[in-house]
Amino acid sequence: MLLQLRNVYKGFGPKEMPAFRPVLEDLSFAVEEGARLGIVGPSGSGKTTLLNLMGALDVPDSGEVIFRGKAISGYRAGELAQFRNRELGFVFQFHHLLPQCTLWENILVPVLPSKRSASAGDKSWAEHLLRKTGIWEQRNQKPSEMSGGECQRAAVVRALINKPRLVLADEPTGALDEENARLLSELLLSLSRDEGITLVVVTHAVELAAKLDAVFHLRHGKLTP
Ligand SMILES: Nc1ncnc2c1ncn2[C@@H]1O[C@H](COP(=O)(O)OP(=O)(O)O)[C@@H](O)[C@H]1O
Ligand SMILES: [Mg+2]
């Protein structure tokens, strides 16, 4: 099992007070290695909260998040940063590329925490991904000189640059037009399949959801098929 959530509770606001808002309640869920799963649910149901817990960007109030048999709560701060950087890739609704950097520089940012500069292997992998996503020609351009669809594809490349085991995508096509949404969905699916990367994607895109292995609904703080 790649990732497990065990009896996870998460809420916001002062504990034991009327203003406390429970979001996830006794949620248990397992993600098998290589699975490509979707999560749907109304706005405010807790999808982003859930993805943040899966990606160790936030911690549950109680319960455990377990990655390959090891509880994430057991990591020290430095280990946690390294774990996120090496094992996980994130794609958000907005690309969050650095505006002052070129596409090429942007996609290599995640390799830098572990080494001083990108290796030859990193660069050839980057080239492979840029060609596959159709933005190799734009590599010396800045995000402001690229279309929204191209920037979002760049965000996918950046998420894959460290060959993560798990990619978490939070409404990755939410800001794209239909044509670019379809293109991005196909890329996420084909890249995850070709590279054997596990994918958990929050999406309302029907076409994307239809091609995933399974789609779960977030309701009343729990995930149900
Ligand atoms: N950092 C936070 N502080 C307070 N409330 C939050 C925070 N993050 C999320 N919430 C609340 O938790 C609920 C679920 O939010 P979210 O996970 O963003 O839902 P979704 O992604 O499904 O739209 C919402 O009511 C939201 O207002
Ligand atoms: Mg959200």
Side-chain angles (χ1 to χ4, degrees):
M1 200 58 65
L2 183 69
L3 181 72
Q4 273 179 289
L5 279 75
R6 280 198 203 144
N7 310 106
V8 161
Y9 287 79
K10 180 71 181 177
F12 296 100
K15 304 269 145 59
E16 321 287 341
M17 300 286 276
F20 180 76
R21 192 188 183 293
V23 177
L24 307 177
E25 295 187 87
D26 198 23
L27 183 151
S28 293
F29 189 62
V31 181
E32 270 178 60
E33 189 109 40
R36 287 153 344 134
L37 306 180
I39 294 170
V40 296
S43 179
S45 59
K47 304 180 297 297
T48 295
T49 303
L50 174 63
L51 235 57
N52 287 345
L53 295 182
M54 288 182 168
L57 295 169
D58 201 352
V59 291
D61 297 331
S62 67
E64 285 283 12
V65 180
I66 298 158
F67 192 84
R68 304 183 78 217
K70 185 170 176 191
I72 288 176
S73 58
Y75 285 108
R76 284 178 278 116
E79 287 176 327
L80 191 62
Q82 197 176 63
F83 159 72
R84 269 200 303 261
N85 181 251
R86 289 193 184 160
E87 310 274 25
L88 306 180
F90 296 91
V91 183
F92 303 98
Q93 186 172 354
F94 300 101
H95 56 76
H96 303 294
L97 296 172
L98 300 171
Q100 69 275 28
C101 295
T102 63
L103 167 59
W104 182 252
E105 290 163 345
N106 263 291
I107 61 163
L108 288 168
V109 164
V111 310
L112 297 179
S114 54
K115 42 194 131 166
R116 230 168 279 142
S117 62
S119 67
D122 293 326
K123 288 177 187 169
S124 67
W125 175 238
E127 176 173 347
H128 166 78
L129 290 172
L130 287 177
R131 288 189 186 281
K132 220 162 168 175
T133 50
I135 49 176
W136 169 247
E137 302 298 330
Q138 277 92 325
R139 66 192 175 281
N140 294 320
Q141 289 170 222
K142 295 197 172 150
S144 61
E145 300 158 345
M146 293 160 52
S147 73
E150 289 167 345
C151 286
Q152 197 63 352
R153 279 182 266 155
V156 170
V157 172
R158 184 185 51 189
L160 295 177
I161 198 73
N162 284 334
K163 301 188 178 172
R165 275 177 196 279
L166 174 65
V167 167
L168 300 167
D170 194 356
E171 308 203 34
T173 66
L176 299 178
D177 60 59
E178 212 174 307
E179 172 66 15
N180 276 298
R182 198 176 47 75
L183 196 59
L184 194 91
S185 300
E186 282 168 10
L187 279 170
L188 267 178
L189 289 165
S190 66
L191 286 168
S192 60
R193 184 188 56 229
D194 296 351
E195 315 305 340
I197 292 168
T198 308
L199 178 67
V200 177
V201 52
V202 170
T203 186
H204 295 287
V206 179
E207 279 194 343
L208 174 55
K211 289 177 185 154
L212 296 165
D213 299 333
V215 176
F216 294 84
H217 295 255
L218 188 55
R219 289 193 194 102
H220 311 303
K222 288 188 178 67
L223 277 176
T224 51

